[in-house]
Amino acid sequence: PKDARKEPAEWLWYVGEYACYHPALQGITRSLARVLRAAELDHGILYEAERNSGNDARRVGEEGLFELLRDKNTTVLSKALFNNLLSTDPHVYNTLKNEYPELNHGRHQIYHYSELLANLLERGRLKVGQKLAYQVTYHDPCYLGRYNGVYDAPRCVLKALGVKLQEMPRSRRNSFCCGGGGGRVWMEETSKVHSRPSESRVREAASLRGVQVLVVACPKDYVMFSDAVKTTGLEGRLVVKDLTELVAEAVGVGPGA
């Protein structure tokens, strides 16, 4: 990608720390890069100038650290050359959209990657080479759905890919948290609980007849649910996939393509 600090780009991809550094997510991040390249999307990143957005710091009560990160990021973003912001992580998306009031004085629209992919598929910038035959269910991330009202874009992507979507009983506004938001992804359960939220959620997905894949659109959801599939003994019954992985497979730019 371009270095948006040095040359103009239509889109600035704010990758997010979790999608960058977690070993289980790096392959998915690379898949999104291949998809954007296939769409010939004019995009750039901030490279080493991108810092943590401060979402988790604020959620665990470190308001001072959040403000420091916000101010430094806003300064970098104000000097970058781009039109629209793209985020991989709904938590980062929510923070940039709703908690960075001085971000380029509101000149730039902020999108989650599912919104961009839906648009690229609709306009024919991404072409599905082969429809996918999976039966799937989709989990609405808290910070994408309930906090920001983005429900249709991921489902439009799934429809374009040809998969059969079955909704879980708890979906859209009534979706169930993965248990990793608000800094909890690093916390151990301190009380005696019957079932972790992530375990409850994957059992709900696995209860749907014929569903093979639990589709997510959030890095933390991917990690939480992948672990929960193992701890609930559902390996071989249910696979967790990020929306990006399905798009990459359908347009022929997945790993090994």
Side-chain angles (χ1 to χ4, degrees), residues 31-215:
S31 290
L32 182 55
R34 287 193 293 269
V35 169
L36 298 182
R37 192 179 305 121
E40 298 182 349
L41 190 77
D42 180 24
H43 69 287
I45 61 177
L46 294 173
Y47 288 86
E48 70 275 8
E50 180 184 312
R51 294 179 175 85
N52 187 301
S53 69
N55 166 75
D56 291 295
R58 183 173 233 189
R59 298 302 177 272
V60 300
E62 288 283 357
E63 187 67 19
L65 177 57
F66 166 75
E67 292 176 358
L68 177 66
L69 290 167
R70 181 189 62 195
D71 292 346
K72 287 185 176 182
N73 287 328
T74 299
T75 297
V76 171
L77 288 165
S78 68
K79 296 177 181 178
L81 307 169
F82 66 97
N83 293 326
N84 302 301
L85 259 173
L86 170 67
S87 173
T88 309
D89 189 329
H91 302 84
V92 175
Y93 165 82
N94 177 73
T95 299
L96 296 178
K97 181 178 179 180
N98 299 317
E99 299 179 348
Y100 276 45
E102 300 303 319
L103 178 57
N104 290 326
H105 306 289
R107 290 198 301 267
H108 303 294
Q109 293 292 317
I110 300 173
Y111 297 87
H112 182 253
Y113 79 89
S114 63
E115 297 176 289
L116 175 59
L117 293 181
N119 181 267
L120 293 173
L121 286 162
E122 181 182 6
R123 292 192 290 136
R125 292 278 299 275
L126 282 174
K127 298 186 184 301
V128 175
Q130 183 175 2
K131 296 285 187 177
L132 303 182
Y134 302 129
Q135 293 192 55
V136 311
T137 193
Y138 170 70
H139 170 79
D140 288 284
C142 296
Y143 279 85
L144 187 63
R146 285 199 300 271
Y147 278 73
N148 288 288
V150 179
Y151 298 109
D152 293 335
R155 290 170 171 82
C156 288
V157 172
L158 292 172
K159 182 178 180 181
L161 302 184
V163 302
K164 181 180 179 182
L165 172 64
Q166 293 189 53
E167 298 284 4
M168 282 185 277
R170 294 176 289 189
S171 64
R172 293 184 178 262
R173 288 184 60 84
N174 295 318
S175 183
F176 191 66
C177 179
C178 76
R184 291 186 58 84
V185 72
W186 293 287
M187 293 173 61
E188 295 288 340
E189 295 289 347
T190 55
S191 60
K192 293 182 179 180
V193 293
H194 176 69
S195 179
R196 293 185 174 91
S198 56
E199 294 174 339
S200 175
R201 192 59 162 162
V202 298
R203 289 191 181 102
E204 185 175 354
S207 71
L208 300 175
R209 183 184 297 273
V211 164
Q212 307 157 307
V213 181
L214 170 56
V215 181

